[in-house]
Amino acid sequence: MTDSSFTLRVVCPQEILLEAEVESARFPGEDGALGVLAHHTTMVALTESGLLRARTSQGENLEFVVHSGFAEMRDNVLTVLTQAAENVESIDLDRARKAAERAQERLHSSESNLDLVRARAALRRALMREMLARK
Amino acid sequence: MANIRDLRQRITSVGNIQKITRAMEMVATTKLRRFQEGAVAAKPYAEELERLARGLGGAAASDPDAAGDAAGLFRPGDPSAPAGILFIGSTRGLCGAYNSNVQRQLESGMKGLPQGSKLFVIGKKAMEHAGRMGHDVAAYFEDFDPEKTRFADAAGISKAVVTAFLEEGLSGMFLCGTRFLSMVRYQPYFESFLPIVPSEGELLSEPLLEPSGPELLERLVPSYLETRVFHGLLEAITSEYASRRFAMKNATDAAGDMKKEITRTYNRARQQKITSEITEIVSGAEAL
């Protein structure tokens, strides 16, 4: 580990998606993107749906879609805990689009026991994935 | 000496039972593998979240002005008030000592609790046990199917339990289930769920919070509790299948032994019959 790098971990309920040495990372915080460099002070933040970007020590760029969750920086380790995350390259555009449509429909249907918050979150997630995959 | 035809029939029926238990063993093995993957994969997430929630909780709990539901979950209730227990058992039988083990754990755990403590029950077998023992059941999550544990189910259960804790003035909430250690090891546990105990010592020293503390806790704490219930459910179903696999393996082995034993008796009887027939024929021939 060089002095200017830190460990980035992306953990979701299904797996530990990533564990890598990076030079810098940017993730979507609740009030806009937050950037982190090595030896950042101890911090806990909320994350929203959006793009997590990191640059590895080898100069490689990593891109992940993350969703609502938590990010914690301490002892030079940035841990991003999120309900769901995926590598941008592995997003299936068709699937993302379908999920977005489904979410739209659910929101517009007049189902009585609809969990509005959950449906909105699903829609936001789906749209985000679609947007990022299309780039 | 038993009748030869009876013996033959018993060999067949024991063989049939063996086939069934072997099939059940294989089904359990496959399902176990699937559940195990889920349970093991969910573990790092659950642990990280727990560390974060308990680490941050220290600051929240020590702040007397902290309002909101999240802060309330760190505050211990009146120790003489009844407690609640989320009791996780199985819905299906034929899983060996799985249920009786967790039931025993529940009984010994409840001994130390005030009278009138309430159960929140998951699983039909667990419910039957609660009925037998005459425990006070506050809720029975009947519709929940442990085989298809989804995060949303766990979130719902967690919410129900948290609401009960906050509104009914319970002294605490406990979790009684089975922890999955490996394919052959699973252990019942009875542990505290609420109030959340902040971790001591290695507290995050004045962390930068984004957004502010209360707001963050308001999201972190429910997430943590939901994940803990979710993970608890996954571990329970995994343990259940590990136990079932083991029970079915034992049953298959026992059936094999039994079949061997009866076959031996059968062969002896058959031999004896042949011998006596030969003797009869020979003596008949000699008489001529």
Side-chain angles (χ1 to χ4, degrees):
Chain A
M1 186 163 96
T2 55
D3 201 41
S4 62
S5 74
F6 61 100
T7 312
L8 171 65
R9 301 173 67 216
V10 180
V11 184
C12 52
Q14 290 79 33
E15 59 189 327
I16 296 180
L17 198 64
L18 173 77
E19 191 150 9
E21 287 300 310
V22 299
E23 302 253 312
S24 68
R26 260 167 79 85
F27 61 87
E30 221 195 17
D31 309 314
L34 290 165
V36 171
L37 291 173
H39 306 294
H40 192 287
T41 183
T42 308
M43 170 183 81
V44 180
L46 292 174
T47 66
E48 284 299 329
S49 284
L51 190 62
L52 165 74
R53 271 196 175 141
R55 195 176 172 76
T56 65
S57 317
Q58 284 82 40
E60 211 183 324
N61 283 317
L62 301 173
E63 290 192 332
F64 288 89
V65 180
V66 297
H67 299 297
S68 140
F70 312 93
E72 181 202 30
M73 177 72 180
R74 79 173 184 154
D75 301 336
N76 226 19
V77 179
L78 177 66
T79 308
V80 178
L81 294 168
T82 171
Q83 266 304 311
E86 53 197 320
N87 198 322
V88 168
E89 283 156 23
S90 70
I91 292 182
D92 179 344
L93 186 57
D94 270 348
R95 233 196 75 198
R97 199 175 294 137
K98 282 203 189 97
E101 278 165 20
R102 255 202 323 273
Q104 288 273 20
E105 256 167 51
R106 281 235 326 266
L107 265 183
H108 290 142
S109 74
S110 47
E111 249 176 89
S112 58
N113 58 354
L114 185 71
D115 187 340
L116 212 62
V117 179
R118 209 175 279 277
R120 280 215 186 101
L123 176 61
R124 203 170 52 224
R125 272 204 303 274
L127 288 176
M128 185 62 71
R129 289 170 65 214
E130 195 184 334
M131 193 182 89
L132 293 169
R134 195 172 279 162
K135 275 198 323 176
Chain B
M1 179 65 51
N3 183 323
I4 290 190
R5 197 181 322 140
D6 283 355
L7 284 173
R8 205 181 294 140
Q9 231 160 41
R10 279 186 62 196
I11 293 173
T12 323
S13 76
V14 170
N16 286 341
I17 290 173
Q18 192 183 20
K19 274 184 207 153
I20 295 171
T21 55
R22 184 171 291 142
M24 286 166 92
E25 181 192 337
M26 285 194 290
V27 171
T29 311
T30 326
K31 284 199 178 179
L32 169 60
R33 203 161 297 144
R34 206 180 67 217
F35 289 126
Q36 187 190 7
E37 263 169 36
V40 169
K43 202 169 184 181
Y45 182 77
E47 282 173 354
E48 289 286 342
L49 212 50
E50 165 150 27
R51 193 177 52 77
L52 200 57
R54 290 179 54 185
L56 275 183
S62 58
D63 181 1
D65 303 329
D69 288 351
L73 295 175
F74 287 92
R75 237 171 263 135
D78 172 9
S80 61
I85 302 124
L86 182 60
F87 178 41
I88 310 173
S90 84
T91 292
R92 300 194 181 174
L94 288 182
C95 45
Y98 172 76
N99 279 303
S100 50
N101 283 343
V102 71
Q103 283 157 10
R104 197 171 320 126
Q105 191 74 31
L106 174 78
E107 293 309 321
S108 72
M110 279 184 83
K111 260 184 214 137
L113 297 179
Q115 284 286 313
S117 292
K118 294 174 183 149
L119 291 184
F120 296 76
V121 183
I122 294 168
K124 204 170 99 202
K125 300 283 162 186
M127 189 61 199
E128 285 167 11
H129 172 76
R132 262 199 310 276
M133 302 299 288
H135 291 313
D136 188 359
V137 175
Y140 172 35
F141 301 98
E142 200 172 0
D143 298 331
F144 169 69
D145 178 3
E147 305 248 335
K148 305 191 192 86
T149 304
R150 292 176 313 139
F151 192 83
D153 300 326
I157 292 169
S158 165
K159 202 180 260 176
V161 169
V162 167
T163 313
F165 173 74
L166 287 174
E167 288 175 4
E168 292 175 31
L170 300 175
S171 62
M173 187 60 75
F174 294 84
L175 203 56
C176 182
T178 308
R179 182 152 291 129
F180 178 77
L181 300 170
S182 76
M183 293 285 266
V184 287
R185 282 185 64 214
Y186 28 89
Q187 217 167 42
Y189 62 87
F190 186 93
E191 61 185 26
S192 168
F193 182 63
L194 289 171
I196 302 165
V197 183
S199 54
E200 285 164 31
E202 48 134 17
L203 263 179
L204 305 175
S205 51
E206 291 294 313
L208 199 65
L209 298 178
E210 182 71 41
S212 66
E215 224 175 302
L216 201 125
L217 273 185
E218 218 61 53
R219 245 180 61 187
L220 177 60
V221 166
S223 260
Y224 154 59
L225 296 174
E226 285 162 9
T227 306
R228 192 159 159 204
V229 171
F230 180 60
H231 193 233
L233 292 173
L234 285 181
E235 283 206 306
I237 184 81
T238 312
S239 306
E240 182 188 327
Y241 270 97
S243 180
R244 178 166 297 131
R245 190 191 71 95
F246 187 64
M248 288 304 120
K249 188 180 163 10
N250 280 347
T252 309
D253 292 351
D257 289 348
M258 196 184 251
K259 206 166 128 189
K260 219 187 252 167
E261 186 80 10
I262 305 171
T263 308
R264 199 173 293 136
T265 321
Y266 166 74
N267 281 338
R268 201 179 300 133
R270 192 173 56 101
Q271 197 78 63
Q272 218 160 45
K273 195 177 147 215
I274 293 168
T275 313
S276 71
E277 270 174 19
I278 291 176
T279 321
E280 271 166 33
I281 292 167
V282 169
S283 57
E286 271 175 359
L288 278 175

